[in-house]
Amino acid sequence: MRTRNTALVAAMCAGLAATLAACGGGGGEKDPDAGTNGVGKLPAAKIETRARAAAGSADAVRLSGNLVTKGRTYKLDMRLKGDGGTGQVSTEGSTFELLRIGKELYLKADAGFWAHKGSSGDGRSGARTAAGGAADKLDDKYVKIPAGDPSYQRLSGFTDKGVLLDGLLGLHGRITTGDRGQVDGVRTIRVLAGKAGEGGSLDVSLEGHPYPLRLHRAGGAGVIRLADWNKDFELTAPDKSHILDYGQQIPEGT
């Protein structure tokens, strides 16, 4: 009987020891990369490379936050994919919507936007008068921006996934690995460029694909969140009754 009891206790202890070992018991350190995609183990430069590759191969993304460029601050909330994008842009007290389907680009804003733009002091009084007088007509309509218009290239850039990601995701300076954290509940690893991240920083997902989830731009030039990776959405052309087509050039001021 004593032999059987001793064997039973030994078996129980062995099972308990195995359970503790599997759960990280026994005083051992928990592996921070357990259950992750493994990029946290890579050098910082490779983490950035993997993140840019994942972003480039994704079919769609939602990009939101603040972007400072050429002395102007833009607030963005755009959904982007290969053949176009849609969303809202705000700057200097004005807000407008952009929609691009293929090469067709539309801008939608209220009368206040057009009146404000038409009265901007750029010295072109005829253009200002035209835009100001057209404000009511343009109110809440989709204005088709012709490819030859000076504003087409600048505005279409906000709807171009490749252009925006290529321009935003670059870090400047020597890249190092930062802290682990979370973005919207997703575990991340941060890579930083320059001294104390002055060249920008990127929070990269440790779950699933190593998508970039948050970007702090160099020099305090804005913070951008990137979400809904690979979540498709529809791009629907506006009803013809809500479109105004000015031909070669839209009213001045956009």
Side-chain angles (χ1 to χ4, degrees), residues 25-251:
E29 292 294 329
K30 185 177 180 181
D31 181 2
D33 291 298
T36 72
N37 54 26
V39 297
K41 298 179 180 179
L42 300 176
K46 287 191 175 182
I47 297 175
E48 186 204 16
T49 298
R50 294 279 184 92
R52 291 178 68 98
S57 64
D59 292 329
V61 64
R62 182 174 184 176
L63 186 152
S64 61
N66 297 313
L67 173 64
V68 182
T69 179
K70 296 181 180 179
R72 178 178 288 190
T73 299
Y74 295 90
K75 183 177 180 181
L76 310 178
D77 189 357
M78 302 295 301
R79 298 190 70 184
L80 311 168
K81 59 182 182 178
D83 59 347
T86 183
Q88 189 176 83
V89 181
S90 299
T91 182
E92 297 182 349
S94 297
T95 298
F96 54 92
E97 295 178 26
L98 290 172
L99 169 65
R100 182 176 64 83
I101 305 173
K103 294 183 179 180
E104 303 294 326
L105 177 64
Y106 305 91
L107 184 151
K108 180 181 178 182
D110 61 18
F113 169 87
W114 293 106
H116 171 73
K117 292 301 183 183
S119 62
S120 59
D122 58 7
R124 287 170 283 185
S125 58
R128 294 199 304 273
T129 301
D136 289 338
K137 184 179 180 181
L138 297 170
D139 182 39
D140 218 27
K141 294 285 188 179
Y142 285 92
V143 177
K144 186 177 180 180
I145 303 178
D149 189 272
S151 63
Y152 181 93
Q153 201 68 26
R154 175 166 54 88
L155 293 174
S156 65
F158 287 117
T159 66
D160 192 311
K161 173 179 172 286
V163 168
L164 271 180
L165 292 182
D166 286 346
L168 291 174
L169 293 182
L171 299 176
H172 307 282
R174 180 173 174 270
I175 300 174
T176 57
T177 304
D179 296 333
R180 294 168 185 262
Q182 288 191 355
V183 175
D184 296 329
V186 178
R187 288 179 292 173
T188 58
I189 182 75
R190 176 171 291 186
V191 290
L192 308 95
K195 185 178 180 181
E198 63 186 15
S201 68
L202 197 62
D203 294 296
V204 179
S205 176
L206 287 171
E207 302 177 18
H209 294 286
Y211 292 124
L213 300 183
R214 182 170 56 200
L215 167 72
H216 286 78
R217 299 188 72 216
V223 179
I224 299 293
R225 284 180 178 259
L226 304 110
D228 295 345
W229 287 102
N230 262 337
K231 290 186 179 180
D232 196 16
F233 59 95
E234 281 192 35
L235 288 171
T236 305
D239 187 275
K240 290 184 178 180
S241 63
H242 289 86
I243 297 175
L244 290 177
D245 189 343
Y246 277 85
Q248 294 302 308
Q249 188 169 348
I250 64 172

